[in-house]
């Protein structure tokens, strides 16, 4: 009989904080606006100071970022303020109206009615609205990377970046829909799109504590669980072709500086999981930003990019660690945990290469649904003990001036179900790290290459696919482009917003463009 060790201290802490937050919100409403709050002498952006207020009150702010400039710096002097006065002081706008919606505090300007309203003209193009903000851990306040933000009924979604930020564009017809936010190991949260439309919002997810009442405690055979996942592919994954609109990006960091950023919107014709032919890709939009001082420092070809991303659909392209029935299987498996993914319990199956093997192989975890045996997520990396031996597997062409040695190769792949219960690839992320040493020099530095793709919209296939003349050679996406960085470049395509670290390269590119 397998037992589950419960994190009692964490459970009690979560329960205490949850009850405290519920008590505070129960006393919400206009009375809270007149409650006194103590503030230290503080300086920061308007967004940072509003976060401090959220930490004290338990309320998250929802507002239009065009009305409140998130990045503008302000100072709050030490003292006691009512919540209302504190919001006025931080935002610099005493016209704001405040309304409590659950554990959110909505900040809006009064409606200004036109004197002689005219019927709005029929728009020539579809009207869109945006939902944007940051997703946090409710208790640690740490931003959550790769959280999924979606409208399930429409098959539209995106993921948060490394800073926990996201931005999703939705057609106006979805204002009545519900925005769904989820992350591995956390309770899901949902909010009406109309409440957060065209506003900047904070969202907090609560860690999921799995209790004995939720789990039928029994021995789990890891090999059988993996095999059941493989057997259930026919019912869990699409066997017919589908179209996916995907956002792809890749970056290169050298000497702790971002030197290259490539972004693209792709139209992917995904064949069924059992088809042996590769998926087809059409390039819709693309841009590349390069640090001109660094662009020629390391000329090398690394196995990443769109081709690698599509090959990381593990359900279709089974890697060695997903072939446990192979008589020559070189992996061992263990049931190591129970977790929650998108509100569903998952068995965590860990795997690593057999003892005594010295060749570079993978190790990691598979998150398999306890009921329908769908693969929900996979996290794996090249075994750190032998990772240097795998350099030739990742570097197709070495630079004439540098020698590269692989230090890390790690991947995360997640799958999400559509309304009909069929799972599709949701997000793929790869992180490669190399030791780069210039020839005839003793010292080395670090070269990092990362790439990721998120499926933003999935639609039924038409059986035609992408015409051969329009298909993208998957290795050729990184050609130079004349486009400079423009905040409106992507229009209403859903993209992953750049992290703060990447903004340095973007701002540098803008400065050079404006010279």
């Amino acid at each position: 009989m397998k037992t589950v060790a419960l994190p009692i201290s964490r459970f009690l802490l979560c329960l205490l904080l949850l009850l405290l937050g519920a008590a505070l919100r129960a006393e919400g409403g206009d009375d809270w606006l007149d409650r006194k709050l103590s503030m230290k002498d503080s300086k920061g952006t308007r967004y940072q100071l509003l976060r401090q207020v959220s930490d004290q009150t338990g309320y998250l702010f929802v507002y239009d970022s065009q009305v409140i400039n998130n990045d503008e710096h302000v100072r709050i002097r030490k003292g006691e303020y009512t919540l209302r006065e504190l919001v006025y002081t931080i935002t610099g706008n005493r016209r704001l109206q405040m309304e409590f919606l659950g554990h959110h505090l909505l900040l809006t300007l009064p409606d200004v009615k036109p004197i002689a309203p005219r019927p709005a003209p029929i728009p020539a193009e579809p009207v869109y609205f945006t939902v944007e903000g940051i997703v946090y851990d409710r208790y640690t306040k740490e931003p959550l990377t790769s959280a999924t933000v979606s409208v399930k009924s429409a098959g539209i979604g995106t993921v948060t970046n490394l800073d926990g930020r996201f931005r999703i564009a939705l057609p106006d017809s979805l204002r009545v829909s519900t925005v769904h936010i989820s992350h591995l190991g956390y309770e899901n949260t949902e909010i009406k799109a109309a409440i957060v439309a065209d506003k900047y919002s904070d969202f907090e997810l609560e860690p999921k504590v799995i209790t004995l009442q939720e789990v039928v405690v029994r021995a789990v055979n890891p090999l059988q669980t993996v095999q059941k996942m493989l057997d259930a592919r026919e019912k869990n994954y699409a066997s017919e072709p589908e179209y996916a609109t995907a956002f792809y990006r890749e970056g290169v960091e050298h000497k702790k500086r971002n030197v290259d950023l490539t972004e693209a919107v792709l139209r992917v014709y995904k064949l069924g999981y059992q088809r042996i032919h590769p998926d087809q890709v059409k390039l819709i939009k693309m841009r590349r930003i390069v640090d001109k001082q660094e662009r020629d420092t390391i000329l090398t070809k690394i196995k990443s990019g769109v081709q690698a991303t599509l090959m990381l659909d593990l359900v279709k392209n089974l890697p060695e660690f997903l072939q446990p029935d192979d008589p020559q299987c070189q992996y061992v498996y263990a049931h190591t945990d129970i977790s929650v993914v998108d509100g569903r319990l998952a068995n965590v199956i860990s795997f690593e290469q057999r003892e005594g093997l010295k060749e570079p192989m993978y190790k990691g975890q598979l998150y398999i649904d306890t009921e329908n045996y769908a693969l929900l997520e996979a996290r794996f990396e090249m075994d750190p003990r032998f990772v240097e031996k795998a350099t030739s597997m990742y570097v197709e062409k070495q630079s004439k001036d540098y020698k590269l040695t692989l230090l890390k190769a790690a991947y995360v792949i997640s799958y999400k179900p559509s309304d009909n219960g069929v799972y599709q690839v949701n997000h793929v992320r790869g992180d490669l790290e190399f030791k780069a040493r210039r020839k005839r020099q003793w010292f080395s530095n670090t070269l990092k290459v990362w790439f990721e793709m998120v499926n933003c919209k999935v639609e039924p296939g038409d059986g035609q696919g992408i015409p051969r003349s329009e298909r993208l050679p998957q290795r050729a996406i990184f050609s130079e482009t004349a486009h400079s960085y423009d905040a409106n470049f992507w229009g209403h395509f859903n993209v992953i917003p750049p992290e703060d670290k990447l903004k340095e390269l973007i701002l540098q590119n803008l400065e050079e463009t404006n010279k």
Side-chain angles (χ1 to χ4, degrees), residues 322-347:
L322 279 184
Q323 302 180 46
D325 58 343
D326 187 335
Q328 299 182 358
C329 180
Q330 297 178 316
Y331 288 91
V332 293
Y333 303 82
H335 179 243
T336 54
D337 201 358
I338 296 175
S339 187
V340 62
V341 182
D342 203 12
R344 297 184 66 88
L345 291 178
N347 286 315

Side-chain angles (χ1 to χ4, degrees), residues 364-415:
Q365 299 83 37
L366 306 169
Y367 295 78
I368 299 175
D369 193 293
T370 58
E371 295 182 14
N372 63 21
Y373 291 96
L375 177 62
L376 306 177
E377 191 159 313
R379 296 170 173 259
F380 60 97
E381 64 177 337
M382 188 65 66
D383 193 318
R385 296 174 298 172
F386 312 110
V387 66
E388 292 187 6
K389 294 182 180 181
T391 300
S392 60
M393 297 168 57
Y394 288 85
V395 180
E396 293 183 352
K397 180 182 178 181
Q398 286 271 13
S399 166
K400 65 178 182 179
D401 298 321
Y402 275 83
K403 178 182 178 182
L404 299 185
T405 304
L406 184 66
L407 299 178
K408 174 185 176 182
Y411 305 92
V412 179
I413 298 93
S414 66
Y415 293 82

Side-chain angles (χ1 to χ4, degrees), residues 229 233 237 273 312-318 322 375 415:
M229 182 275 292
R233 285 186 297 166
Y237 302 94
Y273 77 91
L312 283 167
D313 183 350
L314 304 183
V315 171
K316 179 178 179 180
N317 307 299
L318 293 180
L322 279 184
L375 177 62
Y415 293 82

Side-chain angles (χ1 to χ4, degrees), residues 278 306-314 317-318 474:
V306 173
Q307 184 183 41
T309 307
L310 295 176
M311 290 300 296
L312 283 167
D313 183 350
L314 304 183
N317 307 299
L318 293 180
Q474 294 169 9

Side-chain angles (χ1 to χ4, degrees), residues 7-239:
I8 299 299
S9 59
R10 184 181 179 189
F11 174 74
L12 292 176
L13 175 62
C14 292
L15 181 61
L16 176 62
L17 291 172
L18 180 62
L19 292 174
L20 178 60
L24 290 174
R25 287 191 290 274
E27 298 176 1
D30 292 338
D31 289 346
W32 244 109
L33 294 175
D34 297 321
R35 294 288 182 89
K36 290 290 184 73
L37 300 173
S38 296
M39 290 291 291
K40 298 179 180 178
D41 193 68
S42 303
K43 289 193 300 182
T45 65
R46 297 191 192 280
Y47 175 78
Q48 291 170 339
L49 295 178
L50 287 174
R51 279 294 302 177
Q52 290 185 27
V53 178
S54 292
D55 293 342
Q56 282 201 53
T57 63
Y59 286 102
L60 305 176
F61 290 95
V62 179
Y63 52 87
D64 187 339
S65 56
Q66 294 183 347
V67 174
I68 300 173
N69 186 344
N70 275 327
D71 299 324
E72 188 174 355
H73 283 74
V74 294
R75 179 176 180 177
I76 299 298
R77 297 191 178 279
K78 179 180 179 180
E80 286 194 342
Y81 301 80
T82 64
L83 177 56
R84 178 185 286 106
E85 191 64 29
L86 196 52
V87 171
Y88 287 155
T89 304
I90 293 174
T91 62
N93 191 335
R94 303 188 68 86
R95 297 178 59 238
L96 288 175
Q97 294 181 341
M98 306 178 199
E99 179 182 358
F100 290 96
L101 301 169
H103 67 281
H104 284 86
L105 180 53
L106 179 63
L107 308 180
T108 58
L109 287 175
D111 291 332
V112 178
K113 297 182 179 179
I115 298 175
R118 298 178 180 178
I122 299 175
E125 297 181 358
V127 176
Y128 287 79
F129 67 95
T130 61
V131 177
E132 60 181 324
I134 302 182
V135 181
Y136 289 93
D137 180 297
R138 174 166 292 180
Y139 303 120
T140 68
K141 308 304 179 184
E142 292 294 321
L144 295 178
T145 300
S146 299
T148 298
V149 182
S150 64
V151 176
K152 287 187 173 183
S153 59
I156 298 175
T158 187
V159 297
T160 57
N161 67 12
L162 296 180
D163 298 332
R165 295 197 300 119
F166 73 92
R167 179 183 182 276
I168 186 170
L170 301 170
D172 200 58
S173 59
L174 293 180
R175 283 184 182 269
V176 296
S177 65
T178 298
V179 177
H180 179 93
I181 303 176
S182 62
H183 191 281
L184 173 67
Y186 288 83
E187 298 274 13
N188 299 340
T189 190
E190 294 182 343
I191 191 166
K192 295 296 183 182
I195 295 175
V196 290
D198 295 321
K199 298 178 178 65
Y200 199 91
S201 312
D202 282 354
F203 301 90
E204 292 182 340
L205 297 187
E206 185 170 345
K208 171 68 174 179
V209 179
I210 300 174
T211 65
L212 286 173
Q213 288 76 19
E214 296 177 277
V215 182
V216 178
V217 182
R218 63 182 184 276
V220 175
N221 185 310
L223 283 173
Q224 288 183 1
T225 301
V226 175
Q227 189 58 52
K228 286 181 178 180
M229 182 275 292
L230 296 171
D231 295 339
R233 285 186 297 166
E234 183 176 359
K235 68 175 182 179
N236 286 330
Y237 302 94
S239 57

